[in-house]
Amino acid sequence: EKYIKNYRENINHLRPPTVVFYGKPNAGKSTLFNALLNQERAITSATPGTTRDTIEQETQIGGLCVRLVDTAGTRETRNEVEAEGLRRTKKSISESDLVLHVVEGVDNIEDTENKIVVYNKNDLIKYSKQKTPKHKAVYTSAKKRAGLNSLKEEIKKHLLAKETKTNGSIITTTRQLQAINESVVSLKKALHILKETNPEIELVAFELVESTRSLSALLGTTSAEDIMENVFENFCVGK
């Protein structure tokens, strides 16, 4: 049961942390996304709402493997496709390890711990440099590729600060989780039978064999059928 309990938390530490770009249309999210990747991964345009879907790409930032996610700009819309893009943006943010709130000029900055506010287009806009207790502020020009090193450093600091050790027992695949779940179910059935007034020991034995079979599948060891087949082939059981 400890394996099962720790599975969800441990699996998060075995995947690259997710950094999501968030902000209004035309704030320069896709340009900044491309700049950090050092490739033209996302289409950029002066037309608002160019990005309609999330775009993901893994990269190295300060020696860390990170998954960057570009998202649709946040604004009120009646366009069905763009509205779906905004829904996906919200989903990506809820699953992220860090949000880069990309700002062009003025925006409503909500205080959250897992956020870096990126004041973009610093070559065109004069920002009054202010910081709030709950978020870091970085000033960049994605188009000029200015301030990228400072941003990368802040991303690295934030992600390293969030790192925690995995909990004791580790399983890493859904196949392993399924095998342990099946083993636990069989063991609980056996315990339930044993609590009866006159437990049927044959049924208990059956559930124990089922549990062992599940664990054998997990460990890649010899199954109960293999053992019995070996006994009958190599030993004179009748005598």
Side-chain angles (χ1 to χ4, degrees):
E1 289 181 330
K2 287 182 180 179
Y3 278 104
I4 295 170
K5 181 180 179 181
N6 292 340
Y7 172 75
R8 295 298 176 189
E9 183 174 350
N10 286 335
I11 201 67
N12 287 334
H13 298 294
L14 297 171
R15 63 165 177 79
T18 303
V19 178
V20 174
F21 292 75
Y22 164 81
K24 292 179 179 178
N26 268 14
K29 297 184 300 299
S30 295
T31 304
L32 186 61
F33 177 78
N34 289 340
L36 287 178
L37 290 175
N38 199 27
Q39 61 174 290
E40 297 300 312
R41 178 68 175 81
I43 297 173
T44 58
S45 170
T47 305
T50 302
T51 303
R52 299 294 184 91
D53 197 358
T54 57
I55 303 172
E56 302 184 13
Q57 182 75 43
E58 289 186 6
T59 190
Q60 293 281 333
I61 293 181
L64 299 177
C65 181
V66 177
R67 177 170 290 274
L68 301 182
V69 182
D70 189 21
T71 64
T74 55
R75 65 174 178 176
E76 294 294 327
T77 180
R78 294 183 179 180
N79 183 287
E80 186 176 341
V81 176
E82 193 171 354
E84 173 61 20
L86 294 178
R87 187 191 68 78
R88 296 186 183 189
T89 295
K90 292 178 181 178
K91 183 175 184 295
S92 295
I93 290 171
S94 68
E95 297 173 350
S96 69
D97 296 285
L98 174 64
V99 173
L100 300 184
H101 188 159
V102 184
V103 177
E104 176 196 11
V106 180
D107 202 346
N108 179 32
I109 310 296
E110 296 180 5
D111 279 339
T112 58
E113 293 181 0
N114 297 325
K115 177 189 287 188
I116 296 173
V117 177
V118 183
Y119 292 96
N120 195 30
K121 305 185 181 180
N122 196 31
D123 56 320
L124 302 175
I125 301 170
K126 291 184 178 180
Y127 294 101
S128 56
K129 297 189 176 183
Q130 297 178 349
K131 294 183 180 180
T132 63
K134 289 189 177 180
H135 71 252
K136 288 285 186 179
V138 178
Y139 298 82
T140 66
S141 170
K143 191 172 183 180
K144 300 286 185 180
R145 296 181 176 257
L148 295 185
N149 288 336
S150 297
L151 178 56
K152 288 178 181 179
E153 187 62 30
E154 289 300 332
I155 292 172
K156 180 182 177 181
K157 284 181 183 178
H158 183 93
L159 295 179
L160 288 177
K162 285 192 67 177
E163 279 193 355
T164 57
K165 293 182 179 179
T166 57
N167 290 326
S169 305
I170 299 175
I171 55 175
T172 60
T173 69
T174 53
R175 180 191 67 80
Q176 293 171 333
L177 180 65
Q178 181 182 0
I180 290 181
N181 270 322
E182 290 174 353
S183 180
V184 168
V185 169
S186 296
L187 289 173
K188 285 184 175 179
K189 287 180 180 178
L191 288 170
H192 179 74
I193 296 168
L194 284 171
K195 289 178 182 178
E196 295 176 357
T197 306
N198 297 306
E200 296 186 49
I201 301 303
E202 294 85 355
L203 294 180
V204 175
F206 171 79
E207 295 299 344
L208 290 176
V209 169
E210 288 297 302
S211 177
T212 303
R213 181 183 290 111
S214 297
L215 292 179
S216 294
L218 170 68
L219 300 172
T221 56
T222 307
S223 67
E225 288 83 357
D226 292 335
I227 294 172
M228 294 304 294
E229 183 177 348
N230 184 57
V231 168
F232 280 102
E233 281 186 357
N234 299 294
F235 296 87
C236 189
V237 178
K239 296 178 183 179

